[in-house]
């Protein structure tokens, strides 16, 4: 369907059984409805008959913001089918039907139930239909129509921002654009002047102006200076109705800042500056600061300082502090009050970013005079050199002068100076110095080999003012003197094979010398004069500070000579010549066919190729441990197989315990068994002592048993005699520790076993009379304590 807008009237006509809308002619008068009757006929049930019908209404516009007491009349719906008998019913649907717009179903009158706002919704699309009350049939098809809201001036202009911020360079010309402000009006711009906005300036004159139509703010005065005034506040008004009386208006504020341009040169606040500087200030020290004023800001106020001319251009320099824009006067060379006391400088300050537009205002720089006075101070002594290097031979005599240092007082008074050595740098007090003339001499002998360099510090002090002192390093180099003889570089273990052939190299020897000649070492090897010709070995000088030892005969014998001593004379070629004699010990060893040593002399030393000394030591330790284990195992096995000495239960034997041995003490009842004396056959088992571990296992020489019917005393004497005459007998033979008591001893048995069979207690007090050897028995059996026990 298509909708057509007319200034005074809308007419809609619908065809029956069609969906296309046919536009109606525009009506000139709002009071005269337009209608078109379409009649459809049907002939003999084949022709359609068009009936005459049509909608009629006479109002389609409505004013917004209606403030009357009654509801606002919108218009009337009417169809030519309505005969006025009340048989038709009008129904309204669409935007706002029933809430904003209500219809009288009998008459078709439409009213607005509420106040409407065009700015919220400018038109409403509604649909209407007429229904026969009796049959419920639509007498007219549903038709669509539009209600348009007429605008009134009820909205004031509003700016897009409540506050604008803008900037413009200072010194700008008249008419320079600053910013554009924009105001909008919600009223209908196509209906009247309600939305036509005009701009005007309320505050900010005469500095700025505004274009009434575009809202562009421009400068109104020439050469506005930021230094005079930087901030401006401008109030702009926007008024509708073309700015006429009765129009609505709105305002906004614009904050305008004048930005800086470089239109001001730097200027010194004073034409001359005066500074003082001590003559002893270090290089680069700050003497003073100067600053030129520039009312500009930012990079427009940046400046640099330079020395234009003056008699101190070589002594001083000026640098620019970028943070404070100050010129810093610094010392470029050492100052000397005695040479010059006053310096004059001319310092320029100029902008680093000048603006070409303002160069006509004059040069953008300024000049000031700077005077610097040098102050005299008491300076410490000054040495003639930064350091001293002294070379001295190591054989110099004690007390010899080896060098001299000099220092002077730079002040005009020229005070006397004394010299001294800082003993922290000469802890051994090897050197000393003359306090008046600075001569350095030795106190002790020098040795280059122990200390080739000595670094000492010399102090020069003013006599009148001990606080004024200076220090300087003195490097003393000890020059070498050939005072050490060459010697073997290491200990050589040399051997020669028994099957060696003449001319075989058995050893190469090298030497060392603690001296350090400037032309390098050169050593020579010769036989000693006492033995110029050795029949066994030859010394060959390799001419490279080494010598080779060569065999001279065919074959060597260990049985005849197991070790050879070969003296070698070694001397150097420096002055004075130093020499020494080194003796090489050469052992004769058995070797295999490849010349590998197998054994030397009585030692069974196997040096298999590829085995290191650590591996050989580990193998030897393993062999020793296995031997010890075998010996212990054999000793335990023999002890188990020992024949018991006590055959019968009634055979009671006593043990004699000696208390002066290093065995197990009185409780060690197995230390000595006297049963051996009563059973000599048991002694032939050659058992080892159980109380002493022998260091070497000796083969016990077995003798023919002659013990049958021999008295014990004779057995002991014979056994002692055999041991005394046997050179291989061990000194710890247990048989030699026994003493025979003899026959018919007056002492009864001391056995405690027999004492139990006595009818009465025995008296052991007599044991105390037998001497200290029986003191232990007397304490055990004699006295009242034992009786009580």
């Amino acid at each position: 369907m298509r909708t057509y807008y007319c200034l005074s009237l809308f007419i809609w006509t619908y065809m029956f059984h069609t969906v296309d809308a046919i536009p109606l002619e525009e009506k000139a008068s709002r009071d005269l409805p337009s209608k078109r009757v379409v009649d459809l006929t049907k002939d003999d049930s084949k022709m359609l008959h068009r009936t005459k019908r049509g909608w009629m209404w006479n109002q389609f516009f409505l004013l917004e913001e209606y403030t009357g007491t009654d509801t606002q009349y919108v218009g009337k719906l009417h169809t030519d089918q309505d005969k006025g008998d009340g048989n038709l019913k009008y129904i309204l649907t669409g935007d706002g039907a029933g809430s904003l717009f209500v219809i009288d179903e009998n008459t078709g009158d439409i009213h607005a139930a509420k106040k409407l706002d065009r700015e919220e919704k400018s038109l409403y699309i509604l649909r209407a239909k007429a229904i026969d009350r009796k049959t419920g049939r639509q007498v007219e098809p549903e038709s669509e129509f539009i209600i348009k809201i007429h605008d009134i001036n009820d909205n004031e202009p509003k700016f897009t921002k409540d506050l604008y911020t803008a900037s413009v360079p200072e010194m700008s010309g008249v008419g320079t654009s600053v910013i554009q402000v924009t105001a909008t009006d919600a009223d209908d711009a196509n209906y009247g002047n309600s939305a036509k906005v005009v701009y005007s300036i309320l505050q900010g004159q005469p500095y700025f102006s505004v274009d009434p139509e575009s809202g562009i703010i421009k400068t109104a005065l020439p050469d506005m200076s930021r230094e005079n005034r930087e901030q401006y506040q401008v109030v702009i008004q926007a008024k509708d109705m073309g700015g006429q009386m009765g129009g609505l208006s709105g305002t906004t504020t614009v904050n305008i800042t004048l930005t800086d341009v470089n239109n001001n040169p730097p200027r010194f606040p004073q034409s001359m500056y005066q500074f003082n500087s001590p003559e002893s200030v270090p290089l680069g020290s700050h003497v003073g600061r100067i600053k030129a004023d520039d009312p500009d800001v930012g990079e427009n106020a940046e400046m640099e300082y330079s020395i234009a001319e003056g008699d101190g251009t070589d002594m001083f320099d000026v640098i620019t502090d970028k943070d404070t824009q100050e010129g810093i006067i610094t010392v470029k060379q050492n100052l000397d009050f005695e040479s010059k006391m006053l310096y004059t400088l001319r310092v320029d300050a100029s902008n680093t970013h000048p603006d070409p537009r303002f160069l006509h205002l004059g040069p953008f720089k300024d000049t000031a005079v700077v005077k610097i006075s040098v102050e005299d101070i008491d300076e410490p002594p000054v040495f003639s050199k930064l350091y001293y290097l002294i070379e001295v031979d190591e054989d110099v005599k004690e007390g010899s002068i080896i060098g001299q240092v000099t220092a002077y007082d730079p002040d005009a008074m020229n005070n006397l100076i004394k010299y001294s050595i800082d003993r922290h740098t000469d802890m051994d007090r090897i050197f000393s110095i003359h306090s008046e003339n600075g001569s350095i001499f030795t106190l002790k002998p020098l040795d280059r080999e122990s200390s080739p360099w000595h670094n000492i510090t010399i102090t020069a002090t003013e006599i009148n003012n001990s606080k004024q002192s200076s220090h300087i390093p003195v490097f003393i180099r000890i020059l070498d003197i050939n005072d050490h003889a060459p010697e073997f570089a290491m200990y050589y273990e040399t051997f020669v094979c028994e099957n060696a052939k003449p001319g075989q190299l058995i050893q190469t020897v090298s030497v060392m010398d603690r001296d350090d000649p400037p032309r390098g070492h050169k050593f020579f090897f010769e036989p000693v004069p006492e033995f110029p010709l050795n029949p066994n070995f030859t010394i060959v000088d390799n001419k490279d500070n080494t010598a080779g030892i060569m065999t001279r005969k065919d074959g060597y014998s260990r049985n005849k000579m197991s070790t050879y001593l070969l003296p070698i004379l070694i001397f150097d070629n420096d002055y004075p010549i130093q020499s020494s004699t080194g003796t090489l010990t050469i052992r004769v060893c058995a070797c295999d066919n490849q010349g590998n040593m197998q054994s030397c002399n009585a030692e069974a030393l196997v040096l298999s190729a590829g085995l290191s000394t650590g591996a050989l030591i580990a193998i030897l330790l393993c062999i020793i441990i296995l031997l010890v284990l075998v010996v212990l195992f054999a000793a335990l096995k023999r002890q188990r197989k020992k024949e018991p000495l006590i055959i019968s239960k009634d055979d009671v034997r006593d043990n004699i315990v000696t208390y002066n041995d290093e065995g197990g003490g009185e409780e060690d009842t197995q230390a000595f068994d006297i049963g051996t004396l009563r059973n000599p056959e048991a002694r032939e088992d050659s058992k080892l002592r159980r109380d002493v571990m022998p260091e070497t296992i000796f083969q016990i020489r077995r003798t023919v048993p002659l013990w049958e019917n021999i008295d014990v005393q004779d057995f002991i004497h014979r056994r002692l005699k055999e041991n005394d005459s046997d050179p291989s007998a061990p000194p710890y033979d247990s048989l030699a520790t026994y003493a025979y008591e003899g026959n018919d001893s007056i002492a009864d048995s001391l056995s405690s076993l027999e004492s139990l069979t006595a009818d009465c207690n025995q008296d052991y007090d007599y044991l105390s009379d037998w001497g200290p050897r029986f003191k232990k028995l007397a304490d055990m059996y004699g006295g009242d304590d034992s009786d009580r026990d």
Side-chain angles (χ1 to χ4, degrees):
M1 284 187 260
R2 297 173 182 173
T3 304
Y4 291 85
Y5 168 77
C6 299
L7 295 176
S8 61
L9 183 64
F10 278 93
I11 301 175
W12 298 86
T13 304
Y14 293 89
M15 295 178 61
F16 184 69
H17 296 303
T18 65
V19 295
D20 293 334
I22 300 176
L24 300 178
E25 295 180 356
E26 183 176 342
K27 185 177 181 181
S29 174
R30 296 172 61 183
D31 298 331
L32 298 178
S34 173
K35 68 178 181 177
R36 177 178 294 181
V37 179
V38 180
D39 191 9
L40 298 177
T41 60
K42 184 177 182 181
D43 186 15
D44 298 333
S45 302
K46 295 181 181 180
M47 298 294 294
L48 293 176
H49 297 279
R50 177 177 294 175
T51 59
K52 182 180 179 180
R53 68 190 67 174
W55 283 106
M56 293 181 295
W57 49 80
N58 58 2
Q59 188 170 350
F60 302 95
F61 299 92
L62 185 64
L63 291 177
E64 66 170 337
E65 304 294 342
Y66 175 72
T67 58
T69 57
D70 297 333
T71 59
Q72 187 178 6
Y73 182 73
V74 178
K76 183 179 181 65
L77 290 179
H78 185 72
T79 177
D80 56 2
Q81 298 293 326
D82 188 0
K83 303 302 182 181
D85 53 4
N87 291 330
L88 295 182
K89 178 181 180 181
Y90 294 95
I91 299 176
L92 184 66
T93 59
D95 292 342
S99 58
L100 294 179
F101 303 101
V102 293
I103 188 171
D104 189 337
E105 64 180 12
N106 295 321
T107 63
D109 293 327
I110 302 174
H111 291 79
K114 297 180 180 179
K115 181 173 63 174
L116 301 179
D117 187 0
R118 189 201 67 84
E119 285 70 36
E120 294 182 2
K121 193 173 181 66
S122 61
L123 59 86
Y124 296 86
I125 300 176
L126 299 171
R127 291 178 295 276
K129 59 184 177 180
I131 300 175
D132 191 331
R133 292 180 182 273
K134 295 180 180 181
T135 62
R137 181 179 62 85
Q138 291 186 8
V139 297
E140 292 288 352
E142 186 178 57
S143 178
E144 184 177 274
F145 63 94
I146 296 175
I147 299 177
K148 184 172 178 61
I149 310 300
H150 273 306
D151 181 50
I152 64 174
N153 189 17
D154 59 343
N155 292 281
E156 72 278 3
K158 294 183 178 181
F159 285 92
T160 56
K161 294 182 180 180
D162 295 333
L163 179 65
Y164 289 85
T165 301
S167 63
V168 63
E170 64 172 336
M171 309 300 290
S172 297
V174 177
T176 302
S177 297
V178 179
I179 191 174
Q180 182 179 18
V181 295
T182 304
T184 59
D185 196 323
D187 293 327
D188 191 358
N190 297 320
Y191 181 77
N193 294 327
S194 299
K196 186 177 181 181
V197 178
V198 175
Y199 300 95
S200 62
I201 184 169
L202 300 181
Q203 178 183 329
Q205 296 174 334
Y207 307 103
F208 300 95
S209 63
V210 63
D211 187 284
E213 294 184 358
S214 63
I216 297 177
I217 301 175
K218 302 178 181 179
T219 58
L221 287 180
D223 300 333
M224 288 189 295
S225 177
R226 183 199 65 83
E227 289 75 27
N228 295 332
R229 183 177 177 182
E230 184 177 5
Q231 299 289 338
Y232 294 87
Q233 190 175 72
V234 179
V235 178
I236 302 298
Q237 181 190 64
K239 190 174 184 181
D240 60 10
M241 298 299 292
Q244 298 177 4
M245 294 292 293
L248 303 178
S249 64
T251 60
T252 187
T253 301
V254 183
N255 290 331
I256 301 176
T257 302
L258 295 184
T259 58
D260 184 63
V261 296
N262 192 4
N263 61 332
N264 295 282
R267 291 289 181 264
F268 282 105
Q270 59 192 68
S271 60
M272 187 179 67
Y273 294 85
Q274 181 73 39
F275 299 108
N276 298 326
S277 175
E279 61 176 338
S280 61
V281 294
L283 298 181
S285 300
H286 295 177
V287 176
R289 291 173 175 258
I290 60 175
K291 183 178 182 182
D293 296 332
D294 192 333
D296 296 325
V297 295
E299 68 175 12
N300 297 322
E302 292 180 0
M303 64 189 75
E304 59 183 0
Y305 298 86
S306 61
I307 297 178
E309 59 183 6
D311 56 2
T313 55
D314 296 334
M315 305 298 296
F316 300 94
D317 196 4
V318 60
I319 59 176
T320 304
D321 189 336
K322 297 299 183 182
D323 296 330
T324 62
Q325 296 300 313
E326 292 178 316
I328 305 174
I329 309 298
T330 61
V331 179
K332 188 163 60 173
Q333 292 188 17
N334 292 323
L335 303 178
D336 187 7
F337 173 81
E338 289 72 24
S339 299
K340 191 174 180 61
M341 296 180 292
L342 180 64
Y343 295 90
T344 302
L345 306 173
R346 293 180 62 87
V347 180
D348 289 342
S350 58
N351 284 134
T352 56
H353 303 284
D355 194 333
R357 296 177 300 171
F358 306 102
L359 292 179
H360 64 280
L361 299 177
F364 279 74
K365 69 176 182 178
D366 195 12
T367 304
V369 177
V370 178
K371 292 186 176 182
I372 303 173
S373 298
V374 180
E375 297 176 350
D376 185 27
I377 63 171
D378 189 6
E379 300 176 81
V382 177
F383 284 93
S384 59
K385 296 181 180 180
L386 296 178
Y387 65 91
Y388 289 86
L389 175 62
I390 300 175
E391 294 183 345
V392 58
D393 294 332
E394 64 176 326
D395 62 347
V396 67
K397 296 181 179 179
E398 298 179 20
S400 300
I401 297 177
I402 62 175
Q404 184 180 16
V405 297
T406 58
Y408 65 94
D409 184 9
D411 297 324
M413 298 182 63
N414 194 14
N415 294 323
L416 295 178
I417 296 172
K418 63 178 181 179
Y419 303 92
S420 62
I421 295 179
D422 184 358
R423 288 306 172 186
H424 292 91
T425 60
D426 186 23
M427 300 294 291
D428 296 332
R429 293 184 175 270
I430 300 176
F431 304 96
S432 184
I433 188 171
H434 196 284
S435 62
E436 295 181 2
N437 58 23
S439 298
I440 301 174
F441 55 91
T442 60
L443 295 177
K444 296 180 180 180
L446 303 178
D447 186 9
R448 187 204 65 86
E449 285 69 33
S450 59
S451 297
W453 284 89
H454 294 274
N455 302 328
I456 63 176
T457 300
I458 303 297
T459 303
T461 307
E462 292 185 7
I463 295 179
N464 296 334
N465 187 2
S466 60
K467 295 182 179 179
Q468 295 297 333
S469 61
S470 299
H471 308 277
I472 193 169
V474 177
F475 306 104
I476 302 175
R477 180 183 179 184
I478 310 302
L479 301 179
D480 183 47
I481 298 297
N482 191 26
D483 56 349
H484 291 86
E487 56 188 11
F488 282 147
M490 57 179 292
Y491 175 75
Y492 294 97
E493 294 183 357
T494 307
F495 71 92
V496 61
C497 296
E498 289 183 310
N499 55 359
K501 302 297 182 182
Q504 288 186 356
L505 177 64
I506 62 173
Q507 183 70 61
T508 300
V509 296
S510 60
V511 297
M512 59 170 290
D513 194 338
R514 297 176 61 186
D515 295 322
D516 187 15
R519 292 177 297 177
H521 290 290
K522 182 64 178 176
F523 304 113
F524 302 94
F525 303 86
E526 293 180 357
V528 295
E530 294 81 0
F531 303 99
L533 184 61
N534 192 305
N536 301 306
F537 304 98
T538 303
I539 303 172
V540 179
D541 192 342
N542 296 328
K543 306 300 181 180
D544 59 353
N545 294 337
T546 63
I549 309 302
M550 313 289 292
T551 58
R552 197 165 187 175
K553 66 179 183 178
D554 187 4
Y556 297 84
S557 175
R558 284 185 295 171
N559 296 328
K560 295 181 179 180
M561 180 68 71
S562 62
T563 302
Y564 292 91
L565 298 178
L566 178 62
I568 302 175
L569 178 63
I570 310 168
F571 57 93
D572 54 26
N573 67 335
D574 204 357
Y575 180 81
I577 295 176
Q578 299 289 341
S579 64
S580 66
T581 301
T583 302
L584 194 66
T585 302
I586 305 174
R587 296 185 299 166
V588 180
C589 301
C591 303
D592 56 13
N593 295 331
Q594 285 75 27
N596 298 321
M597 181 180 65
Q598 292 181 337
S599 64
C600 296
N601 298 335
E603 299 177 359
L605 183 61
V606 180
L607 298 176
S608 58
L611 290 179
S612 63
T613 304
L616 294 176
I617 294 175
I619 294 174
L620 292 175
L621 290 176
C622 293
I623 294 174
I624 293 173
I625 293 172
L626 290 176
L627 291 176
V628 172
L629 292 176
V630 170
V631 171
L632 292 177
F633 181 78
L636 292 174
K637 189 173 182 182
R638 288 184 178 183
Q639 184 177 359
R640 292 174 183 174
K641 293 181 179 179
K642 181 179 179 180
E643 181 181 354
L645 298 177
I646 301 177
I647 306 301
S648 174
K649 294 181 180 180
D650 298 332
D651 190 1
V652 178
R653 292 173 173 82
D654 293 337
N655 290 338
I656 298 177
V657 181
T658 59
Y659 298 96
N660 58 347
D661 70 313
E662 298 180 359
E666 61 181 7
E667 295 182 359
D668 187 4
T669 57
Q670 296 182 356
F672 307 100
D673 192 355
I674 201 172
T676 305
L677 300 177
R678 299 185 180 182
N679 187 10
E681 290 293 337
R683 180 66 184 84
E684 297 302 316
D685 292 339
S686 301
K687 295 182 176 56
L688 300 175
R689 285 186 60 178
R690 288 171 292 174
D691 59 329
V692 178
M693 179 178 291
E695 296 181 0
T696 307
I697 301 175
F698 294 92
Q699 181 68 29
I700 304 300
R701 181 171 54 86
R702 299 180 62 87
T703 57
V704 179
L706 301 175
W707 315 114
E708 296 179 359
N709 301 322
I710 296 178
D711 186 63
V712 175
Q713 183 177 6
D714 295 336
F715 160 73
I716 292 176
H717 288 311
R718 291 184 183 182
R719 194 59 171 160
L720 290 175
K721 185 176 181 180
E722 289 178 2
N723 282 275
D724 292 339
S725 61
D726 188 0
S728 63
Y732 47 82
D733 191 349
S734 60
L735 293 176
T737 62
Y738 292 104
Y740 182 64
E741 297 181 0
N743 296 326
D744 299 328
S745 174
I746 61 174
D748 293 334
S749 175
L750 301 178
S751 174
S752 61
L753 298 177
E754 295 180 1
S755 63
L756 296 176
T757 59
D759 296 333
C760 60
N761 293 333
Q762 297 182 12
D763 185 8
Y764 297 99
D765 294 337
Y766 60 88
L767 295 176
S768 300
D769 300 332
W770 288 7
R773 299 176 65 88
F774 294 87
K775 185 178 184 301
K776 184 66 177 179
L777 292 176
D779 294 339
M780 293 174 59
Y781 295 94
D784 298 336
D785 294 337
S786 63
D787 293 338
R788 286 194 298 268
D789 292 340

